[in-house]
Amino acid sequence: MKHQKTAAAVVAASMLLSMLTACGGGGGEAASSDQAIKTSDDKETADLVVYSNSGDSPDSWNERFGNALQQKFPGYNIKYIQKQSNYGIKELLTAGETIDIYWDSIGGFASGLLDNGLEFDMTDLAKKYQLDLSKMEPSVADSVKLIAPDKMYGIPVFNNNMVLYYNKDLFDKFGVPYPKDGMTWTEANQLAQQLTRVDSKPYIGLSSSQTHMLAMNQLSIPFVDPATEKPTIFTDEKWREFFDTVFVGPSKSPGYVDYMKELKDTIPYRNEFLKEKNLAMFAWLSSIIFVFPDEYKSMNWDMVSLPTFDSLPKVGSQAYPTYFAVTSMSKQKDQAMKVIQYLTTEEMQTKLSKIGLMPVLNSENVKKVYGQESAFKDKNLAASFYNGFAPIPAKSRYDSLLLTPYAKAVPKIIMSGDYNTVFRATEEDTAKKIADAKK
């Protein structure tokens, strides 16, 4: 079925970069891996075009993948095309461009692939080139079947999840003990109360990126009911538990809502944590330190595992893997598959892990070098792997339409406390978006 009504899609365990055991080194291991890349004798030629809706820059592509692939496949001419604001995948295809490899994170992979007719079952190619999914983190490996149970439309190459960052200077300023790995949301909210105060300016104890927390929610709630293709925000009671614990809980500290009013009824976010530096704890993507390295270098910070629900000990966020796919239009499917297979090898996964891309391989040798070639190798990078991954629920091609309305419900709930009214209005809005998309 070429365009499944519901892409029960891409669900896995814990978008882009992440972390694991922040153990030391492996200098010898690094040397042997680099040597293996440089001494590849694969002289086969190919011209491949790679595209992603992520919008990653050519420099980012080359740093992470392009340079290593050129060394491994010296006969391949691999051209990466960056998405532009006014020239994306539809414009490329209309212009007659052939895309051989499509890649994107779990949030946009299914719609980007299926909506453009690029899906291709790679099952036979995976067998031919001995791609072993059993070596991957189980929930990430299982996710490849969630778009279509009997087909393999994408291969996980790197992963991501959520952690809790904290500003050590604010904890020192107010004499409050630092957060620890393994905290619950109850404990984190209690800690936040000690830091939410006014001292020459307002300080806030705890906040989070609501879009990422919703998309990777620990209660594994789907945005869309796979049976009815209707939004779940009003009908699934677990959303109220999630909102109450993660978003409303921190806002109960005196002064929090007053500060939200200063922010025009929004919750504290990136600017308050990285620039204003008056937000003590912030739940965000584990990869984000590599996305905004300069901002993090300017502050005294560390990280711990994402707080957990009292009823779900050691269960962190869902995984957020990024998939690479051979497209249906490629005329060089074998060569494209060789590239993807190489990206999943221990050699390349080790290289990616060292620079701060969370590996998909379930290998301690790969995990222990995570971030060791980054500026943050002395931080508690192991926090990313302290918890297990929450199960990933069914995802539909409409999820991206619902994410922003669901996120906009967060400040409305905090300010009004009226779950029924806000959730009902959000359900009506998002149901209309789904209906319009179906047309």
Side-chain angles (χ1 to χ4, degrees):
M1 189 171 179
K2 189 171 183 180
H3 293 286
Q4 279 189 296
K5 275 188 160 186
T6 307
V10 229
V11 294
S14 232
M15 178 182 190
L16 250 77
L17 330 154
S18 291
M19 341 198 157
L20 209 118
T21 313
C23 298
E29 187 175 284
S32 63
S33 175
D34 293 342
Q35 183 70 14
I37 293 174
K38 292 176 182 176
T39 58
S40 170
D41 60 356
D42 189 347
K43 302 301 183 185
E44 182 181 32
T45 61
D47 292 300
L48 300 174
V49 173
V50 180
Y51 178 83
S52 173
N53 272 330
S54 67
D56 279 44
S57 70
D59 286 344
S60 173
W61 162 261
N62 287 329
E63 178 187 359
R64 294 187 289 170
F65 310 110
N67 294 337
L69 290 173
Q70 191 61 59
Q71 291 176 313
K72 179 65 179 176
F73 302 100
Y76 284 19
N77 175 32
I78 301 176
K79 176 177 145 186
Y80 171 69
I81 299 178
Q82 180 184 11
K83 176 186 177 181
Q84 305 294 326
S85 59
N86 60 345
Y87 198 82
I89 189 168
K90 294 188 182 300
E91 288 75 16
L92 275 176
L93 296 176
T94 300
E97 182 67 79
T98 296
I99 298 172
D100 297 284
I101 297 175
Y102 176 81
W103 66 275
D104 206 349
S105 61
I106 184 173
F109 180 80
S111 58
L113 200 69
L114 298 173
D115 291 351
N116 293 289
L118 296 177
E119 69 273 18
F120 172 75
D121 184 6
M122 294 185 286
T123 303
D124 290 340
L125 283 176
K127 292 177 182 177
K128 181 177 180 179
Y129 293 104
Q130 300 179 341
L131 194 149
D132 190 355
L133 292 176
S134 70
K135 293 182 178 180
M136 294 184 182
E137 200 285 324
S139 58
V140 173
D142 291 345
S143 73
V144 303
K145 294 293 186 181
L146 291 173
I147 299 178
D150 58 343
K151 294 181 173 61
M152 184 184 295
Y153 287 149
I155 304 297
V157 169
F158 61 95
N159 200 11
N160 204 356
N161 68 350
M162 298 288 287
V163 295
L164 184 68
Y165 297 99
Y166 65 98
N167 185 329
K168 297 173 77 172
D169 286 341
L170 294 187
F171 282 83
D172 294 341
K173 176 181 177 70
F174 298 120
V176 177
Y178 296 151
K180 298 178 180 179
D181 288 329
M183 287 194 312
T184 64
W185 282 107
T186 299
E187 293 168 330
N189 286 327
Q190 291 171 348
L191 193 60
Q193 290 180 3
Q194 302 178 58
L195 294 146
T196 303
R197 60 178 73 189
V198 176
D199 184 1
S200 74
K201 68 175 183 178
Y203 291 91
I204 299 298
L206 174 62
S207 188
S208 60
S209 170
Q210 64 262 46
T211 53
H212 294 107
M213 286 301 303
L214 289 165
M216 303 159 71
N217 72 82
Q218 291 159 281
L219 300 184
S220 302
I221 319 168
F223 279 25
V224 176
D225 185 322
T228 64
E229 292 192 330
K230 296 185 181 300
T232 60
I233 193 164
F234 184 76
T235 57
D236 195 323
E237 295 182 357
K238 288 192 292 185
W239 278 122
R240 176 162 183 155
E241 179 186 359
F242 187 81
F243 271 66
D244 198 54
T245 302
V246 174
F247 302 125
V248 176
S251 74
K252 292 179 180 178
S253 299
Y256 192 106
V257 172
D258 290 336
Y259 188 64
M260 281 184 60
K261 292 176 181 177
E262 292 183 27
L263 298 177
K264 298 181 179 180
D265 294 351
T266 61
I267 67 174
Y269 189 63
R270 166 188 166 187
N271 187 64
E272 286 67 44
F273 186 69
L274 293 177
K275 294 197 164 74
E276 296 297 327
K277 296 182 174 61
N278 63 336
L279 174 58
M281 295 180 287
F282 189 46
W284 210 3
L285 290 169
S286 57
S287 65
I288 214 71
I289 55 176
F290 304 106
V291 179
F292 302 114
D294 292 339
E295 285 92 333
Y296 272 88
K297 288 176 185 176
S298 71
M299 66 186 297
N300 182 21
W301 66 277
D302 211 331
M303 58 195 286
V304 295
S305 60
L306 187 71
T308 59
F309 282 71
D310 292 335
S311 59
L312 294 170
K314 296 279 287 185
V315 176
S317 72
Q318 298 169 38
Y320 206 86
T322 288
Y323 304 86
F324 279 59
V326 177
T327 71
S328 58
M329 68 188 315
S330 176
K331 296 178 175 61
Q332 301 175 94
K333 291 182 171 64
D334 282 85
Q335 292 85 352
M337 189 65 199
K338 286 182 181 180
V339 167
I340 296 173
Q341 187 276 337
Y342 176 66
L343 294 177
T344 68
T345 62
E346 186 154 341
E347 176 183 297
M348 190 60 190
Q349 287 283 299
T350 298
K351 180 179 178 66
L352 295 177
S353 183
K354 286 179 179 178
I355 64 174
L357 285 175
M358 180 185 257
V360 294
L361 285 190
N362 195 18
S363 163
E364 289 305 316
N365 287 335
V366 176
K367 293 174 182 179
K368 73 181 182 182
V369 298
Y370 180 81
Q372 292 305 296
E373 291 182 357
S374 76
F376 307 119
K377 63 183 179 181
D378 296 326
K379 300 298 183 181
N380 181 28
L381 302 184
S384 296
F385 301 91
Y386 184 90
N387 294 320
F389 293 120
I392 302 175
K395 290 184 181 291
S396 81
R397 64 182 3 139
Y398 309 115
D399 283 10
S400 60
L401 299 175
L402 274 57
L403 181 57
T404 296
Y406 278 31
K408 286 183 177 179
V410 171
K412 294 175 184 177
I413 290 293
I414 293 174
M415 302 298 286
S416 71
D418 188 346
Y419 283 90
N420 286 338
T421 299
V422 175
F423 281 179
R424 170 66 79 182
T426 303
E427 181 195 44
E428 292 173 355
D429 176 38
T430 51
K432 184 177 184 304
K433 290 182 183 298
I434 292 174
D436 290 343
K438 287 181 177 181
K439 294 177 184 177

